């Protein structure tokens, strides 16, 4: 397999399974060149804990993240002759303080990169389960004059892409995670001109600062016809010259490279034969101070790693 920039383990994420080292060993077994370790950043309020975290406190999540970074760096050194491991985080965008919290973590732990994702609207998860999605939908303000008053779905989608835009501006993540995950429970929602303007704005911004759009195979896992992003958005990204990478968004050993066979077909259908990925600048051999750069891989459809 080529690479993935987005993964989780049961050791450091309550809704994943398996030890982080097992995830790494599976990535090596499947011949990944680069594998990104990107556990969720901590959440700092009790009300932001997920149901499976009801036995924890926010301080526990901070300790867990610290443990993740320590273990990830250990594995990075242990397996450096077999695989390139990058150590990063996946962002949260919940409150006005979320940005500073993410940036502080990146600086504190000298992380290699960030996966910029949005999982909450109105401080409510939109991808955890359908019940929470519906709660977020019910909170979409019909009184907000910026949006279409009579359509709560349109409001929610508009708010999602506005929240994503704010995250992009504040964090400028090198990897943009599951660009249209808002579609998870509304896959047939038809984008209006309002939504497409926001999508295009966000795409343009990422292209301008040099970020990579993740083509995330987890879209297949949740029953969507395509990987994230769906092909209408992906075609627009390609038309505008956006640079794409791939990720498995693994949450366990069995999900390392899950649906990469479908991902290959998706790339082939859209004639995507060039991908980009993050890697260390080999000019610096000190792992603690290595700079992460974007690299290009051509002729990916013909590569034997599939």
């Amino acid at each position: 397999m080529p690479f993935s920039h987005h993964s989780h383990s049961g050791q450091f994420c309550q809704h994943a399974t398996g030890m982080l080292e097992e995830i790494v060993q599976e990535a090596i077994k499947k011949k990944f060149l680069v594998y990104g370790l990107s556990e969720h950043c901590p959440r700092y309020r009790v009300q932001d804990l997920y149901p499976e975290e009801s036995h924890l406190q926010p301080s526990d999540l901070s300790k867990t993240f610290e443990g993740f970074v320590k273990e990830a760096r250990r594995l990075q050194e242990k397996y450096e002759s077999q695989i390139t491991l990058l150590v990063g985080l996946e962002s949260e965008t919940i409150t006005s303080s979320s940005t500073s919290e993410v940036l502080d973590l990146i600086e504190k732990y000298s992380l290699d990169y960030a996966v910029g994702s949005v999982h909450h609207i109105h401080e409510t998860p939109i991808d955890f389960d359908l019940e929470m999605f519906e709660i977020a939908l019910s909170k979409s303000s019909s009184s907000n004059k910026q949006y279409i008053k009579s359509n709560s779905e349109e409001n929610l989608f508009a708010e999602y892409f506005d929240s994503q835009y704010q995250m992009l501006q504040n964090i400028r993540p090198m990897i943009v995670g599951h660009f249209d995950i808002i579609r998870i429970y509304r896959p047939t929602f038809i984008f209006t001109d309002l939504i497409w303007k926001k999508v295009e704005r966000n795409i343009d911004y990422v292209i301008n600062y040099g970020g990579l759009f993740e083509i995330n195979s987890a879209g297949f896992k949740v029953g969507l016809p395509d990987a994230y992003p769906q092909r209408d958005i992906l075609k627009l990204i390609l038309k505008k010259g956006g640079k794409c990478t791939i990720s498995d968004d693994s949450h366990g050993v069995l999900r390392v490279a899950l649906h990469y066979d479908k991902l290959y077909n998706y790339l082939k259908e859209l004639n995507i034969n060039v991908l980009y990925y993050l890697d260390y600048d080999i000019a610096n051999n000190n792992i603690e101070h290595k700079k992460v750069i974007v690299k290009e891989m051509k002729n990916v459809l013909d590569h034997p790693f599939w």
Side-chain angles (χ1 to χ4, degrees):
M1 299 298 166
F3 34 83
S4 172
H5 298 84
H6 188 167
S7 67
H8 305 280
S9 70
Q11 187 174 356
F12 301 107
C13 174
Q14 292 289 315
H15 60 267
T17 60
M19 302 296 287
L20 186 61
E21 186 161 9
E22 295 174 329
I23 305 295
V24 170
Q25 290 171 341
E26 185 68 12
I28 293 171
K29 179 180 177 181
K30 292 185 175 175
K31 303 187 184 304
F32 274 85
L33 305 176
V34 175
Y35 204 75
L37 309 178
S38 59
E39 296 291 0
H40 292 284
C41 66
R43 281 155 280 114
Y44 298 92
R45 305 185 307 172
V46 171
Q47 60 264 44
D48 296 328
L49 297 176
Y50 287 106
E52 75 266 15
E53 298 169 333
S54 60
H55 61 294
L56 301 174
Q57 293 295 317
S59 58
D60 296 318
L61 301 188
S62 294
K63 292 176 183 177
T64 295
F65 189 82
E66 182 177 2
F68 155 66
V69 176
K70 183 178 180 180
E71 175 67 356
R73 292 299 187 194
R74 182 187 74 83
L75 297 174
Q76 187 179 56
E77 182 176 351
K78 179 177 179 179
Y79 294 104
E80 64 178 333
S81 65
Q82 301 176 66
I83 191 171
T84 296
L85 298 175
L86 303 177
V87 182
L89 59 71
E90 184 178 12
S91 72
E92 298 288 359
T93 306
I94 306 175
T95 68
S96 58
S97 63
S98 293
T99 294
S100 60
E101 291 164 356
V102 170
L103 294 177
D104 287 347
L105 286 169
I106 294 172
E107 181 178 3
K108 178 180 179 179
Y109 294 109
S110 300
L111 298 177
D112 299 324
Y113 74 108
V115 177
S117 300
V118 175
H119 301 101
H120 296 74
I121 301 295
H122 302 299
E123 302 181 14
T124 303
I126 48 93
D127 65 324
F128 184 80
D129 60 24
L130 179 58
E131 180 180 1
M132 288 188 177
F133 178 91
E134 296 288 356
I135 293 172
L137 184 63
S138 70
K139 291 180 178 179
S140 290
S141 175
S142 61
S143 63
N144 190 332
K145 295 180 181 180
Q146 182 181 359
Y147 304 130
I148 305 300
K149 293 184 179 181
S150 62
N151 192 327
S152 59
E153 286 187 348
E154 177 137 7
N155 287 345
L156 185 64
F157 274 69
E159 289 160 347
Y160 170 83
F161 286 113
D162 279 348
S163 180
Q164 184 183 65
Y165 185 54
Q166 183 178 2
M167 178 275 294
L168 294 172
Q169 289 179 301
N170 293 337
I171 300 175
R172 295 166 70 94
M174 285 309 302
I175 306 295
V176 181
H178 38 59
F179 189 96
D180 57 349
I181 199 170
I182 187 64
R183 284 171 147 165
I184 184 171
Y185 297 115
R186 291 295 188 276
T188 60
F189 174 75
I190 298 174
F191 284 17
T192 60
D193 288 344
L194 172 70
I195 304 301
W196 275 116
K197 286 179 181 178
K198 295 177 184 297
V199 168
E200 187 167 6
R201 173 200 61 193
N202 294 9
I203 291 172
D204 287 340
Y205 190 82
V206 175
I207 291 173
N208 286 338
Y209 77 75
L212 304 182
F213 297 91
E214 171 191 77
I215 305 177
N216 184 322
S217 65
F220 296 117
K221 182 185 75 67
V222 299
L224 294 174
D226 299 323
Y228 299 116
Q230 300 293 282
R231 67 184 61 210
D232 51 359
I233 291 179
L234 185 52
K235 285 180 179 179
L236 182 58
I237 291 171
L238 297 172
K239 181 180 179 181
K240 286 178 168 289
K243 295 180 178 179
C244 295
T245 189
I246 57 175
S247 295
D248 58 15
D249 201 350
S250 165
H251 280 66
V253 173
L254 297 179
R255 288 167 61 177
V256 173
L258 182 65
H259 296 312
Y260 264 38
D261 53 343
K262 294 181 179 179
L263 189 59
Y264 174 87
N265 292 333
Y266 189 42
L267 298 177
K268 189 172 183 179
E269 286 176 32
L270 295 177
N271 196 31
I272 300 174
N273 205 21
V274 176
L275 291 172
Y276 298 82
Y277 64 102
L278 302 182
D279 198 356
Y280 286 118
D281 184 350
I282 59 174
N284 189 337
N285 291 322
N286 186 340
I287 247 184
E288 293 184 358
H289 302 287
K290 279 185 177 180
K291 179 182 178 182
V292 171
I293 59 175
V294 175
K295 293 184 178 180
E296 179 184 74
M297 180 178 286
K298 298 180 179 179
N299 301 317
V300 294
L301 296 175
D302 299 323
H303 202 287
F305 49 51
W306 296 102

